[in-house]
Amino acid sequence: MYEKITGENAYQVPMRIYPAVHYTMGGTWVDYNLMSTLPGLFVLGEANFSDHGANRLGASALMQGLGDGYFVLPYTIGHYFVSSKQPKPSASHAEFKKAEADIKAFTSRLLSIKGKRTPTSLHRELGKLLWEKCGMARNEAGLKEALKRIPELRAEFWKNVNVTGEGGGLNQSLEYAGRVADFMEFAELLCLDALERRESCGGHFREEFQTPDGEAQRDDQNFAYAAAWEYQGPDKAPVMHKEPLVYEEVHMSTRSYK
Amino acid sequence: MNLTLKVWRQKNANTPGRFETYQARNIIPDMSFLEMLDVVNEDILARGEEPIAFDSDCREGICGMCSLVINGAPHGGHRGTASCQNHMRHYKDGDTITIEPWRAKAFPIIKDLVTNRSAFDRIIQAGGFVSVNTGGTPDGNALPVPKTDADLSMDAAACIGCGACVAVCKNASAMLFVAAKISHLNLLPQGKAEKDRRALNMVHQMDQEGFGNCTVTGSCEAVCPKEISLSFIARMNRDYGAAMLKGR
């Protein structure tokens, strides 16, 4: 597989290994039954925040998908079904009509901008910004700079993106532009959360908080919590809810890779 | 490197398609085939035209979404390789490359190089459920599976359902795909309870969808990105035959 991708034989040439963006840590907030803040919307696997904290190990997607699907959901979703009688939803419901109108407005807005920049170029610029300011090592100054730059980039996206084609049939540029629009919001939240957490832990390495020999320094006194950010609507600051990490049987300790 | 592409463009299933010629400029040999298309699409978009629609997802050869017939061969004709893992170093500067969608009656074109492969989903659905005991999670190793069966089942389960087997077959037969899916479950004790019904229903659905039959040329095995063995078709025929004789 390695040879197929790189064209190099790892038995003859040293393997080239470099860091890359893989997943974002965390996910949608759920309760212990894996139900989100929307009644009846259960979130399984890595789409939820429950199993992974500041770090995530390889192959975890499979682990969490199986764990949630095998051990949790079979026991909780049935309870929801029998304990809450919901009327059959219909497409004439006011909320459905509102959602449909919102989506139509969103797509026609994207298609009508007809600017000069492709969604890819804006996506790349955002990606590079995050890679540099909210990457493997981040600091307060860099995060603040990113938080200043992202709204500007988002404004440019909504003013100058070029999405070709129509909304009726398959339009991959439109799909992609819709995702980039989401990334523009999500990137800001990532940086905000990284700025707020004044400690280093797992994949979050704040340069200001390290041991003398350059290892991550946690602050369990002040930051032993999961941060759940509540969306307040477009262009409004999200609100943080703290879920304290309370352990009864195990004690928090620092893992050493030495 | 610079290349000339002849790409199949088609607005939708009801509009006739045609080949369009594009220039792929400044392509780096380490790019994958799909990354090369991304570069071409950026060029097209910069000119204000509609980019080439093509399917892709994981881009690491495990999801089965990419589906390009490259120079007449599904996925480009490199052994055990999906389009996404076909790299540009296999081509020479100045080459002309022809890119087409999967062509089969059962895979109608949605747009350009994107085809509708829902027929495969309906075949899988026709396979139905696997009986399990509800209640607590069973103990590990409570259900012994012979090593040879586990290995064979795993080989069948490697099928990513891309449809290259159908695209290359002169009969547009889906037998390699269906055989892999049937064998995957029929080989395991968990899948034994519905073995006969599964074989009958999935083969029936395959015929309903308009896929052709197998004449054992083996072209499917040759282009399969997961190198699924032709012998699974023999196994499927045996399972199907046995189910027919039992009359279930």
Side-chain angles (χ1 to χ4, degrees):
Chain A
M1 190 175 181
Y2 177 82
E3 193 171 358
K4 225 185 258 176
I5 295 166
T6 60
E8 290 175 354
N9 183 342
Y11 288 106
Q12 288 157 6
V13 187
M15 280 177 101
R16 290 191 286 182
I17 301 166
Y18 62 95
V21 178
H22 188 38
Y23 281 73
T24 43
M25 314 297 183
T28 312
W29 184 88
V30 286
D31 61 15
Y32 275 95
N33 296 331
L34 298 184
M35 189 164 83
S36 68
T37 48
L38 297 175
L41 181 67
F42 288 78
V43 183
L44 280 82
E46 284 200 319
N48 73 38
F49 86 118
S50 64
D51 289 10
H52 301 292
N55 216 341
R56 178 197 178 274
L57 304 175
S60 295
L62 202 58
M63 185 284 292
Q64 196 176 350
L66 290 170
D68 288 353
Y70 214 37
F71 299 111
V72 185
L73 204 76
Y75 304 96
T76 63
I77 201 166
H79 176 75
Y80 175 79
F81 280 136
V82 295
S83 60
S84 65
K85 280 272 175 284
Q86 299 286 344
K88 198 178 171 210
S90 102
S92 59
H93 194 285
E95 279 300 319
F96 183 91
K97 285 196 169 142
K98 186 177 171 292
E100 195 182 13
D102 284 352
I103 287 293
K104 280 188 176 153
F106 180 79
T107 48
S108 60
R109 187 177 166 202
L110 277 174
L111 287 164
S112 66
I113 298 169
K114 301 256 174 279
K116 297 240 178 309
R117 292 190 64 179
T118 62
T120 314
S121 82
L122 288 153
H123 185 190
R124 291 229 167 112
E125 192 175 337
L126 179 70
K128 191 155 187 291
L129 184 71
L130 257 72
W131 177 256
E132 274 164 10
K133 307 293 179 198
C134 192
M136 282 166 296
R138 48 295 274 278
N139 58 48
E140 187 173 332
L143 288 166
K144 283 189 168 155
E145 205 182 313
L147 281 169
K148 188 175 153 284
R149 186 74 192 104
I150 293 166
E152 292 169 5
L153 199 59
R154 185 165 57 223
E156 178 167 11
F157 174 88
W158 284 108
K159 216 173 65 203
N160 201 19
V161 74
N162 181 21
V163 186
T164 54
E166 300 152 16
L170 173 74
N171 185 341
Q172 292 179 326
S173 331
L174 181 62
E175 283 176 28
Y176 183 44
R179 283 193 188 187
V180 178
D182 289 342
F183 295 159
M184 292 283 176
E185 290 179 15
F186 187 52
E188 193 174 9
L189 185 61
L190 273 180
C191 293
L192 187 63
D193 187 62
L195 181 67
E196 205 74 20
R197 189 167 283 275
R198 298 176 57 79
E199 63 159 354
S200 292
C201 63
H204 168 72
F205 187 82
R206 277 284 292 266
E207 285 165 2
E208 305 95 311
F209 307 102
Q210 50 180 304
T211 61
D213 50 354
E215 294 289 323
Q217 184 149 43
R218 260 192 0 233
D219 178 358
D220 294 340
Q221 212 66 29
N222 297 306
F223 292 97
Y225 61 79
W229 294 88
E230 188 184 343
Y231 182 66
Q232 298 288 316
D235 299 321
K236 284 190 193 130
V239 171
M240 189 188 14
H241 300 273
K242 292 179 184 176
E243 284 211 346
L245 298 171
V246 183
Y247 298 96
E248 284 164 11
E249 301 297 332
V250 290
H251 299 287
M252 283 193 278
S253 57
T254 303
R255 180 188 287 183
S256 170
Y257 290 96
K258 285 179 179 168
Chain B
M1 54 205 273
N2 296 311
L3 305 147
T4 304
L5 308 181
K6 288 188 185 304
V7 184
W8 186 260
R9 301 301 305 262
Q10 186 168 345
K11 194 171 171 6
N12 52 44
N14 305 319
T15 316
R18 75 216 168 268
F19 279 107
E20 292 276 346
T21 306
Y22 296 96
Q23 300 302 321
R25 292 191 189 90
N26 305 321
I27 300 302
I28 301 161
D30 286 332
M31 282 179 179
S32 76
F33 201 86
L34 303 186
E35 284 165 342
M36 182 274 292
L37 282 180
D38 289 340
V39 172
V40 174
N41 270 346
E42 277 295 285
D43 267 1
I44 296 176
L45 206 52
R47 292 200 300 269
E49 294 165 34
E50 260 206 83
I52 303 159
F54 64 92
D55 265 332
S56 74
D57 193 24
C58 74
R59 299 202 175 192
E60 53 185 44
I62 56 174
C63 79
M65 270 307 270
C66 59
S67 46
L68 303 173
V69 175
I70 302 163
N71 288 338
H75 293 310
H78 303 287
R79 198 160 181 79
T81 308
S83 303
C84 60
Q85 300 218 295
N86 177 13
H87 284 73
M88 295 317 292
R89 66 181 76 91
H90 295 301
Y91 302 89
K92 286 194 293 290
D93 186 42
D95 273 359
T96 297
I97 305 172
T98 311
I99 310 169
E100 295 169 79
W102 281 178
R103 293 198 193 276
K105 195 176 100 191
F107 290 159
I109 288 181
I110 296 173
K111 187 178 185 178
D112 299 342
L113 304 168
V114 180
T115 55
N116 184 345
R117 286 170 280 175
S118 308
F120 271 13
D121 297 333
R122 290 188 290 269
I123 293 173
I124 298 272
Q125 281 164 12
F129 53 83
V130 169
S131 291
V132 286
N133 292 322
T134 53
T137 311
D139 288 341
N141 298 325
L143 203 59
V145 183
K147 176 81 170 100
T148 46
D149 289 357
D151 286 350
L152 256 183
S153 175
M154 195 66 193
D155 289 347
C159 168
I160 52 177
C162 63
C165 45
V166 177
V168 75
C169 179
K170 61 187 167 119
N171 307 324
S173 168
M175 296 262 275
L176 193 67
F177 165 78
V178 181
K181 296 302 170 195
I182 289 179
S183 304
H184 163 204
L185 288 170
N186 282 13
L187 276 159
L188 297 174
Q190 291 93 333
K192 282 276 182 344
E194 291 84 18
K195 186 172 185 247
D196 297 331
R197 196 167 69 200
R198 182 178 304 116
L200 289 175
N201 290 349
M202 288 178 81
V203 170
H204 176 71
Q205 188 64 35
M206 172 181 85
D207 292 340
Q208 292 290 102
E209 296 291 349
F211 291 107
N213 277 316
C214 178
T215 42
V216 210
T217 62
S219 58
C220 50
E221 185 188 84
V223 300
C224 176
K226 294 293 146 189
E227 301 177 75
I228 304 289
S229 163
L230 200 60
S231 63
F232 284 114
I233 296 184
R235 180 173 292 277
M236 172 178 77
N237 287 339
R238 196 168 67 216
D239 285 355
Y240 181 76
M244 282 291 272
L245 287 174
K246 286 186 212 161
R248 292 192 223 158

